[in-house]
Amino acid sequence: MMNVDGNKEKILNAAEKRMLRFGYRKVAMDEIASDLAMSKNTIYKYFQSKEEIASMLFERLRNRINENQIKIEKTFKNPLDIIKNNIVFLQKELSPWFENFLPDIKQELPQLWANFVSYRKEKILEVEELIKEGIKNGQFRKVNSFIAVKMFLGAVNEIINPEVLQHESISFQEALEGLLDIWANGILRNRKDI
């Protein structure tokens, strides 16, 4: 017989797979139970509601991001490498969540969406310290790190809006790649190219 934590993980894994594919709104507890060949009542022994499952999925996502950020900071010492590797990981990790799950959460569970937005801001604001470090060691040109982060955060807030992505017919990954390119390199052509 599987232990409590093992059953919770199985339920969360099945819910994550289904909710990333179909969104929060379209997934029923019966479907999660069916995927696991267990009764819905068994799921309710571990989770009070579908909302609690969604909250736990966000908690697991946050933990994965935090753990990976620690690994990146131990592996790389250069601020630009840390920023780039964090962004690549975040892009890979978050892309599937933006297709169906997070747009539903924004509508269905506004408090969970607010928690996500707050966490995202916290992580992005950590970039300010990396920018300051890069300026200090001469890797970055002298810019106002606060403005650089606010520009980045404002752009991220705009492009992750599901309506914007849908209107422009671009994926979260494409939007993030474009944002990072413009933020890091600007829009002016290289003087050598002119």
Side-chain angles (χ1 to χ4, degrees):
M1 186 170 183
M2 184 164 281
N3 65 30
V4 171
D5 289 340
N7 278 338
K8 285 183 101 167
E9 282 302 305
K10 279 177 62 178
I11 294 165
L12 288 171
N13 290 339
E16 181 176 320
K17 183 177 179 183
R18 190 167 274 281
M19 288 183 184
L20 289 184
R21 183 170 180 201
F22 299 107
Y24 173 81
R25 185 180 309 139
K26 293 181 181 177
V27 173
M29 295 292 265
D30 288 323
E31 294 169 323
I32 297 168
S34 176
D35 289 347
L36 294 167
M38 67 173 55
S39 74
K40 187 165 64 169
N41 287 336
T42 302
I43 293 176
Y44 283 120
K45 288 179 184 176
Y46 300 100
F47 299 99
Q48 293 179 7
S49 64
K50 188 169 84 165
E51 181 176 343
E52 183 181 0
I53 290 174
S55 294
M56 289 300 298
L57 291 176
F58 171 67
E59 185 67 28
R60 281 193 340 169
L61 174 64
R62 188 167 59 190
N63 288 340
R64 281 196 305 265
I65 290 170
N66 289 342
E67 288 167 11
N68 191 73
Q69 186 174 19
I70 290 167
K71 286 179 191 172
I72 288 171
E73 289 173 0
K74 286 181 179 178
T75 304
F76 300 96
K77 301 303 174 208
N78 179 326
L80 184 58
D81 289 337
I82 294 170
I83 292 170
K84 286 194 307 192
N85 282 282
N86 271 324
I87 296 298
V88 167
F89 173 78
L90 287 173
Q91 177 182 354
K92 181 181 172 190
E93 190 69 25
L94 289 177
S95 288
W97 295 83
F98 276 92
E99 297 301 321
N100 298 303
F101 182 78
L102 286 172
D104 278 0
I105 293 303
K106 186 175 183 182
Q107 297 297 316
E108 301 287 322
L109 303 173
Q111 184 56 51
L112 186 57
W113 173 257
N115 291 346
F116 170 74
V117 169
S118 175
Y119 175 72
R120 188 189 71 231
K121 284 180 182 178
E122 172 191 318
K123 290 292 147 192
I124 291 172
L125 290 175
E126 290 172 5
V127 172
E128 185 173 358
E129 289 306 312
L130 291 168
I131 293 170
K132 287 178 181 176
E133 186 179 331
I135 292 169
K136 185 178 175 182
N137 70 23
Q139 185 175 9
F140 301 146
R141 67 185 184 92
K142 290 184 181 180
V143 296
N144 182 312
S145 58
F146 176 79
I147 291 173
V149 169
K150 287 297 185 183
M151 287 174 56
F152 185 74
L153 185 58
V156 169
N157 281 336
E158 187 61 30
I159 68 161
I160 66 154
N161 183 327
E163 292 85 23
V164 170
L165 295 174
Q166 189 174 31
H167 180 266
E168 295 299 320
S169 298
I170 58 173
S171 70
F172 170 71
Q173 183 172 345
E174 292 168 325
L176 187 57
E177 286 173 1
L179 167 62
L180 286 171
D181 178 49
I182 293 169
W183 184 73
N185 301 312
I187 61 171
L188 295 177
R189 292 176 64 187
N190 188 327
R191 290 178 192 249
K192 295 181 231 172
D193 296 336
I194 298 176

